[in-house]
Amino acid sequence: MCSIKNKIMRNVSKLMPLSLLAILLAGVLFTSCKAKKVAPPPPPPVEVVAPVTPPPPPPAPVDTDMDGMPDSVDQCPTVAGLASNNGCPPKPEPSFNFENTLFEFNSSVIKTSSYALLDEMSALMRQYPDKMFQINGHASSEGTEARNMTLSVDRANAVKAYLVNSGVNAANLATKGFGATQPLNANTSEDERMLNRRVEIKKQ
């Protein structure tokens, strides 16, 4: 483009005075041959970040009996109960209707056949450490009143000692002897007298 214009200017210069030609040439060169402006580079593309979707909340634990304990840890998932009892209903209190402990004639030594019975009593008492128990000793009608009273007291204390040695709190056990004053029967046969040589345990 500039070469064509320069050629035209040479031709025109033959027809025009030198001073006018110089002015005209400077104007043409300035307006037509100046450097073109370089366009700025386009701005970098803006990265669009997609919104992050939060994960769904975990499913609520299943509680079939609606007692506040999830089925996964509830030992009685279909029956409402207490957390203190592993989700099961409270156990009904036992009757504490213990079987009598029997003794031989004129003896306060616990028979080995009574150990299993006393162990069961001990296990139950230890489950209820707030319960108090009365241990009452008795005797059959043989012997003197004083001897029977001593036997009844010794029998009650022997049972208490066994229970305490097995883990029952001694403070929960009270003892008393009644001698032969509270027989279960008429004391007319050995079978009847055998039942009267006993220790009874009752919940206070």
Side-chain angles (χ1 to χ4, degrees), residues 61-65 67-75 77:
V62 178
D63 184 8
T64 302
D65 55 17
D67 61 358
M69 290 197 69
D71 289 359
S72 58
V73 296
D74 195 335
Q75 294 187 5

Side-chain angles (χ1 to χ4, degrees), residues 19-38:
S19 59
L20 184 60
L21 179 62
I23 295 172
L24 181 60
L25 179 61
V28 171
L29 291 176
F30 180 77
T31 57
S32 61
C33 294
K34 65 182 179 178
K36 293 183 179 180
K37 291 183 179 180
V38 178

